[in-house]
Amino acid sequence: MGNAGWSTRQLAELAGTTVRAVRHYHAVGLVAEPERRTNGYKSYGVHHLVRVLRIRRLSGLGLSLPRVAELGEADGHPREMLSTLEKELTAEIDRLRRTREEVASLLRQSAPIDLPPGLGRAVAQADVPAAERLLAVVMAQVLGPSVIDAYARTLRAGGAGFRIPAFDRLPPDAGERTRRELAERCRLTPRFRRLLAAFPSAGELCADAPRGERHARRALTLALLDLYNPAQIDVLLRVHALEVHRSPAVRRAGP
């Protein structure tokens, strides 16, 4: 071949890439090594340029180098692979569109980002106490969509004002009378009555849990023990016991 042809640097400049990229194409087997000039330097021809341009075009469209390699050195139209790529890009565009809508919703409503959008909006609008908001995060991870949707509906129905200061400030060493009286008060408030109406039994609470009832029960129990002190947990148990002993007719009537 004599001294005809382009050097590696000249080929890279013509193709709009770098010497390093051309050498990488050689290393991974995408471009065959060219013949060498009499002086020992590589000498690239037009077919090398076309090959490098093809690789750059396909990789720029989103094909990985291993997928480009699957095409071999044929210069025909890669219709099947481009068709697959088009489907992948369409799916990615749909995913990005949904993500953009979710981000826009979070910006508009200042909803918590650690909760599903619908539940996050309901929690933000109801202005629930910090402990209950954290409990909602755990609920969203272990309970099924039917329960989460029911919980979100109770929050939206109750609006703001779910707070019960006496319960939220209850000290861990609160006396028997204080806890008993507080349980009676809590049972009659929208916050507790609506939640208990939405979750009538532990079995139904965990009915469609993604990882099963046992996993959901354990996660929720640990969360309650972490978020509430012993006196508050005792009040919650008393409220539940009071509701269980109400007649079915009264339970169906709700608050």
Side-chain angles (χ1 to χ4, degrees):
M1 182 176 286
N3 291 320
W6 298 301
S7 68
T8 306
R9 185 171 299 281
Q10 289 170 332
L11 174 72
E13 290 175 352
L14 282 169
T17 186
T18 64
V19 170
R20 182 177 181 181
V22 174
R23 289 172 177 166
H24 181 65
Y25 297 157
H26 287 318
V28 298
L30 284 174
V31 177
E33 290 280 352
E35 295 182 15
R36 292 183 179 270
R37 303 174 184 175
T38 55
N39 59 10
Y41 288 99
K42 293 176 182 177
S43 180
Y44 294 90
V46 174
H47 68 285
H48 292 106
L49 175 62
V50 172
R51 179 62 178 163
V52 172
L53 288 172
R54 181 180 175 85
I55 293 169
R56 292 197 67 236
R57 182 65 185 278
L58 291 173
S59 61
L61 291 173
L63 286 177
S64 65
L65 292 185
R67 293 180 71 178
V68 174
E70 291 175 14
L71 296 172
E73 295 192 13
D75 57 2
H77 192 281
R79 184 170 303 278
E80 183 177 348
M81 187 164 286
L82 289 177
S83 177
T84 300
L85 178 61
E86 181 184 28
K87 294 177 182 177
E88 293 172 354
L89 291 173
T90 299
E92 179 66 9
I93 290 170
D94 290 341
R95 185 192 69 79
L96 290 172
R97 183 180 295 113
R98 291 192 299 271
T99 301
R100 182 179 182 275
E101 292 172 354
E102 184 175 339
V103 170
S105 176
L106 290 171
L107 286 171
R108 286 195 307 270
Q109 304 188 32
S110 298
I113 63 173
D114 48 9
L115 289 168
L119 179 58
R121 289 191 292 271
V123 166
Q125 293 166 1
D127 187 30
V128 301
E132 188 172 338
R133 195 193 77 79
L134 294 174
L135 180 62
V137 173
V138 179
M139 291 168 59
Q141 295 300 116
V142 300
L143 298 179
S146 65
V147 178
I148 295 301
D149 290 345
Y151 177 53
R153 287 195 299 271
T154 65
L155 293 175
R156 288 192 292 269
F162 267 58
R163 296 178 181 274
I164 303 175
F167 176 81
D168 297 328
R169 296 196 303 264
L170 188 68
D173 58 351
E176 166 68 19
R177 179 177 178 180
T178 299
R179 286 179 285 169
R180 184 179 66 252
E181 292 178 350
L182 183 57
E184 287 285 355
R185 288 171 54 196
C186 289
R187 184 175 66 84
L188 300 176
T189 61
R191 174 180 174 185
F192 282 82
R193 291 286 296 281
R194 290 182 191 277
L195 290 178
L196 289 172
F199 311 137
S201 73
E204 293 178 41
L205 177 67
C206 303
D208 59 352
R211 295 182 59 183
E213 179 179 336
R214 182 176 180 182
H215 177 264
R217 284 176 179 271
R218 184 174 185 276
L220 291 172
T221 299
L222 291 175
L224 287 168
L225 292 173
D226 184 44
L227 296 171
Y228 297 102
N229 66 45
Q232 290 172 319
I233 291 176
D234 182 59
V235 170
L236 292 173
L237 292 173
R238 288 169 185 261
V239 172
H240 181 264
L242 289 169
E243 280 295 298
V244 167
H245 288 91
R246 294 172 69 202
S247 68
V250 174
R251 286 180 58 78
R252 284 194 296 271

